[in-house]
Amino acid sequence: MINKLKKELSGIYKVLILVCVLPFLVSAYCIGSDNREEQTEDDRYTCVDVPRYTVFCGDTIDLTRYDRHERMDRELLAFSFMHSTSIQTIKRANRYFPVIVPILKEKGIPEDFKYLMAIESACNPLARSGAGAAGLWQFMPTTGKEYGLEVNSHVDERYNVEKATYAACKYLKDAYNKFGDWVSVAASYNAGQERISQQQEKQYTDETLDLYLVEETARYIYRIFAVKMLFENPTDFGFYLRSSDLYPQIHYRTVKVSETITDLARFAKSQGTTYALLKNLNPWLRSTSLPCKNGKEYEIKLPDKNNMNYNPDFTMPYSRNWVIDK
């Protein structure tokens, strides 16, 4: 009798559980079915088409061979789905391209090298790598000094946008004098001139894109090609930016300093600004003081008090292709 009662109760429990759970199972199935039926194109992942060729520094690069096609595809995918980094790079470029491009032109460097700077630092003047490279152009300390930048505990001109760009132009010109083509120059910026020369000799080719190199350097040139495509047509990558999304150029005035400043915070206050804003506009100031030795003179940027507020209505895009509100 007891066993019979237990079996009946067990059956009742099973029915109750099924009655309770069944509505949720049906609901879940229906929701899943609705999602599948209502999925739109916006919910799907797509790939940016790999072009048959790209143009870099005036040279046409054939991308139809399978290895080049797939390398290019990898970098296009990276920029397509690295959403926050890609968008921030474009936002910052609106502030810094107007500064560096005229310097590149002045020094006879192809404008496409602005894209090398973009992949080096994501257009972040405060960028610093784990290896110690710093600034928009990611100079190592020794290379920075070699190309005329002051690098010490008080001053690090790798973080000075204008001076670092002039130094980068010197490097790029030296490399071009050595290699005679801009693709090799770009590769040497990552691997070093000596390594590219050695590999060209060992592998019996001057065609840098045909070299077998470590992965970072092998990807480097294709990343430049890909970021150029990103900047030329952000909407192809799914980025629809407005002019107001971009970062505007900062208005400032400059003062020349030839005497030691023992307290930069006090100096900032005397100039009608804050220590934080002083450091923001002059990231090359690496300490709380600024020694001026042997008649050394520095130019310090100070914010224009009348143009400090962010006004997105007046932000002008560096390129009209970057924005949708044309």
Side-chain angles (χ1 to χ4, degrees):
M1 176 67 75
I2 293 176
N3 289 336
K4 184 178 180 181
L5 182 60
K6 284 182 177 179
K7 288 181 180 178
E8 291 177 354
L9 288 174
S10 176
I12 292 172
Y13 287 145
K14 288 178 181 178
V15 171
L16 287 174
I17 291 172
L18 183 60
V19 169
C20 293
V21 172
L22 185 61
F24 293 102
L25 293 175
V26 172
S27 175
Y29 174 78
C30 293
I31 291 172
S33 300
D34 290 343
N35 283 346
R36 286 192 294 272
E37 291 173 0
E38 295 177 6
Q39 188 180 43
T40 66
E41 290 186 4
D42 291 336
D43 299 320
R44 301 170 190 165
Y45 291 107
T46 59
C47 300
V48 177
D49 290 335
V50 177
R52 294 182 61 82
Y53 66 89
T54 189
V55 177
F56 179 69
C57 299
D59 292 333
T60 300
I61 313 297
D62 183 5
L63 298 174
T64 56
R65 201 173 68 196
Y66 81 93
D67 59 326
R68 293 186 179 185
H69 178 99
E70 291 173 12
R71 287 181 178 183
M72 189 69 183
D73 186 50
R74 176 179 181 175
E75 305 313 325
L76 290 173
L77 283 170
F79 282 110
S80 297
F81 299 107
M82 251 184 352
H83 298 88
S84 61
T85 299
S86 297
I87 291 172
Q88 275 198 317
T89 302
I90 298 173
K91 285 171 173 276
R92 293 172 182 146
N94 200 62
R95 175 171 294 164
Y96 295 110
F97 276 11
V99 178
I100 71 160
V101 169
I103 297 174
L104 295 176
K105 291 181 177 179
E106 175 192 339
K107 293 301 179 180
I109 302 299
E111 187 177 333
D112 277 351
F113 275 91
K114 65 179 181 281
Y115 302 119
L116 180 147
M117 183 272 291
I119 66 165
E120 281 286 338
S121 61
C123 297
N124 178 7
L126 299 176
R128 186 179 181 87
S129 75
L136 283 176
W137 292 93
Q138 289 291 281
F139 275 108
M140 293 294 288
T142 52
T143 310
K145 291 176 183 178
E146 181 183 348
Y147 283 91
L149 299 177
E150 183 177 352
V151 181
N152 56 52
S153 59
H154 291 283
V155 172
D156 191 339
E157 291 179 334
R158 295 178 298 165
Y159 295 100
N160 184 307
V161 174
E162 293 84 0
K163 289 188 176 183
T165 302
Y166 278 110
C169 288
K170 290 180 184 177
Y171 178 95
L172 296 170
K173 270 194 169 182
D174 284 351
Y176 187 77
N177 290 336
K178 183 181 184 68
F179 295 108
D181 75 277
W182 292 111
V183 170
S184 296
V185 170
S188 76
Y189 201 89
N190 176 263
Q193 295 179 28
E194 191 61 30
R195 183 176 300 174
I196 296 299
S197 292
Q198 288 175 352
Q199 292 306 314
Q200 287 179 342
E201 185 176 346
K202 289 179 179 179
Q203 298 180 40
Y204 308 105
T205 179
D206 293 331
E207 180 60 70
T208 298
L209 290 179
D210 286 340
L211 293 176
Y212 180 82
L213 300 166
V214 296
E215 183 179 20
E216 180 185 345
T217 306
R219 293 184 61 182
Y220 192 77
I221 294 296
Y222 292 92
R223 292 190 68 217
I224 298 174
F225 297 161
V227 85
K228 180 178 179 179
M229 287 182 61
L230 168 67
F231 274 98
E232 289 180 343
N233 291 291
T235 55
D236 288 350
F237 292 75
F239 302 134
Y240 294 83
L241 302 179
R242 302 159 297 180
S243 294
S244 58
D245 292 325
L246 305 175
Y247 296 156
Q249 288 188 267
I250 301 172
H251 296 272
Y252 61 85
R253 60 187 177 91
T254 60
V255 295
K256 293 183 178 181
V257 175
S258 56
E259 295 184 359
T260 295
I261 300 174
T262 57
D263 187 344
L264 283 170
R266 185 182 296 277
F267 170 79
K269 187 173 179 63
S270 73
Q271 296 293 324
T273 189
T274 65
Y275 181 60
L277 284 172
L278 177 73
K279 297 282 275 190
N280 179 270
L281 281 177
N282 304 275
W284 54 272
L285 293 169
R286 307 306 292 174
S287 180
T288 58
S289 61
L290 176 62
C292 294
K293 300 177 181 179
N294 303 319
K296 181 80 175 183
E297 185 178 77
Y298 298 96
E299 283 192 1
I300 295 179
K301 296 175 183 177
L302 297 168
D304 181 350
K305 289 189 291 186
N306 296 321
N307 291 285
M308 289 178 60
N309 292 337
Y310 184 67
N311 190 341
D313 293 335
F314 292 97
T315 300
M316 297 297 296
Y318 178 79
S319 170
R320 299 303 301 178
N321 290 338
W322 294 358
V323 296
I324 57 174
D325 52 351
K326 299 180 181 180

